[in-house]
């Protein structure tokens, strides 16, 4: 039987509605909205699109936002100075520096300048460390979205075999840690894993985040598995110039074997910004002090 399609657009909408409701509650309690600052350096077109969507999403949910569009010639000192000002800005509870940065900038130093209390991307080593040892921390948005999608299937994660294909700091590693925190038995694979199809075929939950178009065909899928495809690979353009996107999973084959599967587009993609709004909301509650929030900070 063909798999159920996990509708990322609908689930992202549900997350946004939850956050919008919380924003209202926060404003009633504190008299000001949560605030997010987004910094973009240079004019990478894809990054500009992402930053524009983040700003629009903040507006739609009642979150205050500031955008810092800095020229590609921005120096390390200027960028660090902008972040330090935002660390001290009481209206701002979350700071996001859009990646990638131009080559002359030191990404590590930039990310480590963000106050961990405002690190809504969860990229600061302090956030990563706290998360791994089970302390309160921000977790990167895409893996948070992956976890929410799995939970929405209603399938219990505890005790299941999960395989994550991809070991990036932004997706693969934190996705694996989240699954582990939810009591799955987790294997992390990558491009040099031997016998990759066989390892993936063991997975009750398979997360593909390797960035190779349609690499995981039907031979990688265990019957009845939950398959989450994080890949967004452009494989061409339509005559109208629209991007043709495919995931890391060969959808048509996998959907005949899996129990649940995310499409590309319309699966993980819409979740990332929704979870950024979620993290910004949590940052505001935490910085305003405990109480009334119903988030994980208590
Ligand atoms: N560039 C691509 N994805 C992301 C993300 O999740 N956060 C940031 N800051 N930059 C990105």
């Amino acid at each position: 039987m063909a798999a159920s399609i996990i509708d990322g657009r609908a689930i992202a909408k549900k997350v946004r509605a939850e956050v919008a409701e919380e924003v209202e509650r926060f404003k009633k309690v504190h008299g000001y909205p949560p605030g997010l600052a987004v910094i973009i350096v240079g004019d990478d077109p894809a990054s500009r699109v992402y930053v524009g969507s983040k700003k629009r999403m903040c507006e739609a949910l009642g979150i205050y936002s500031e955008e810092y569009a800095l020229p590609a010639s921005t120096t390390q000192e200027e960028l660090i100075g902008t972040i330090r000002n935002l660390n001290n800005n009481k209206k701002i509870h979350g700071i996001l520096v859009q990646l990638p940065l131009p080559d002359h900038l030191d990404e590590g130093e930039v990310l480590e300048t963000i106050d961990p209390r405002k690190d809504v991307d969860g990229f600061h080593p302090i956030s990563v460390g706290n998360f791994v040892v089970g302390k309160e921390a921000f977790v990167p948005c895409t893996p948070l979205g992956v976890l929410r999608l799995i939970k929405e299937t209603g399938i219990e994660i505890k005790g299941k075999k999960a395989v994550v294909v991809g070991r990036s700091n932004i997706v693969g590693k934190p996705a694996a840690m989240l699954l582990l925190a939810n009591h799955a038995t987790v294997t992390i694979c990558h491009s040099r894993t031997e016998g990759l199809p066989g390892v993936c075929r063991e997975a009750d939950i398979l997360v593909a985040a390797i960035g190779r178009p349609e690499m995981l065909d039907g031979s990688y899928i265990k019957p009845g598995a939950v398959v989450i495809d994080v890949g967004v690979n452009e494989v061409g353009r339509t005559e109208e110039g629209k991007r043709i996107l495919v995931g890391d999973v060969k959808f048509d084959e996998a959907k005949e074997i899996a129990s649940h599967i995310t499409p590309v587009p319309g699966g993980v993609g819409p979740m990332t910004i929704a979870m950024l709004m979620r993290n910004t909301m949590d940052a505001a509650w935490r910085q305003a002090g405990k109480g009334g929030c119903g988030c994980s900070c208590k």
Side-chain angles (χ1 to χ4, degrees):
M1 204 174 76
S4 300
I5 307 300
I6 304 173
D7 185 346
R9 291 193 181 106
I11 297 167
K13 194 172 168 191
K14 193 162 139 187
V15 172
R16 291 197 301 270
E18 290 162 8
V19 174
E21 189 267 326
E22 244 179 74
V23 168
E24 283 313 305
R25 192 144 49 86
F26 182 90
K27 283 194 209 160
K28 276 204 189 103
V29 175
H30 295 290
Y32 57 86
L36 174 69
V38 178
I39 303 173
I40 176 167
V41 185
D43 38 34
D44 177 63
S47 292
R48 287 212 163 272
V49 171
Y50 290 133
V51 168
S53 319
K54 286 166 187 169
K55 192 177 170 190
R56 280 194 301 280
M57 191 69 72
C58 283
E59 273 165 24
L61 302 194
I63 293 175
Y64 170 74
S65 75
E66 292 183 5
E67 186 185 315
Y68 293 81
L70 307 178
S73 58
T74 301
T75 64
Q76 183 77 2
E77 291 66 35
E78 285 165 339
L79 180 53
I80 298 277
T82 303
I83 295 169
R84 290 211 173 113
N85 286 338
L86 290 167
N87 283 342
N88 295 321
N89 184 335
K90 293 262 184 305
K91 283 159 81 176
I92 296 299
H93 307 98
I95 302 170
L96 180 143
V97 178
Q98 187 66 31
L99 302 178
L101 289 168
D103 287 344
H104 67 281
L105 296 171
D106 177 346
E107 183 182 298
E109 191 193 14
V110 166
L111 296 179
E112 285 178 39
T113 303
I114 298 172
D115 183 333
R117 287 168 301 185
K118 298 190 176 187
D119 178 32
V120 286
D121 249 334
F123 294 165
H124 194 300
I126 288 178
S127 303
V128 178
N130 280 338
F131 167 44
V132 170
V133 298
K135 285 172 72 177
E136 182 177 279
F138 291 107
V139 178
C141 303
T142 299
L144 270 186
V146 167
L147 183 70
R148 178 72 187 251
L149 292 175
I150 297 168
K151 286 189 168 173
E152 289 278 336
T153 65
I155 283 179
E156 189 169 33
I157 298 173
K158 185 168 68 180
K160 294 283 163 36
K161 282 188 188 158
V163 172
V164 178
V165 187
R167 55 176 161 177
S168 71
N169 290 335
I170 294 182
V171 183
K173 286 182 201 164
M177 292 310 304
L178 275 175
L179 287 161
L180 184 62
N182 281 271
H183 314 295
T185 301
V186 184
T187 304
I188 305 177
C189 302
H190 44 80
S191 55
R192 295 182 208 175
T193 298
E194 286 182 7
L196 186 60
V199 179
C200 291
R201 251 191 335 266
E202 295 269 305
D204 303 305
I205 298 167
L206 181 62
V207 177
I210 196 150
R212 301 209 179 161
E214 300 185 317
M215 188 179 105
L216 278 61
D217 63 20
S219 72
Y220 289 66
I221 314 293
K222 177 179 177 174
V226 175
V227 177
I228 309 291
D229 191 350
V230 186
V232 182
N233 307 292
E234 184 178 326
V235 289
R237 299 260 172 172
T238 64
E239 278 178 14
E240 300 80 44
K242 239 183 118 196
R243 300 194 306 155
I244 301 170
L245 301 175
V246 298
D248 293 348
V249 175
K250 205 167 232 177
F251 181 81
D252 288 344
E253 287 187 17
K255 82 173 194 313
E256 299 302 326
I257 306 167
S259 65
H260 299 78
I261 188 167
T262 57
V264 176
V268 175
M271 294 299 290
T272 300
I273 297 186
M275 299 323 278
L276 174 65
M277 301 295 116
R278 173 73 265 158
N279 276 353
T280 302
M281 188 66 251
D282 284 350
W285 284 120
R286 289 175 196 171
Q287 284 160 60
K290 311 271 180 207
C293 52
C295 82
S296 55
C297 72
K298 277 181 278 178

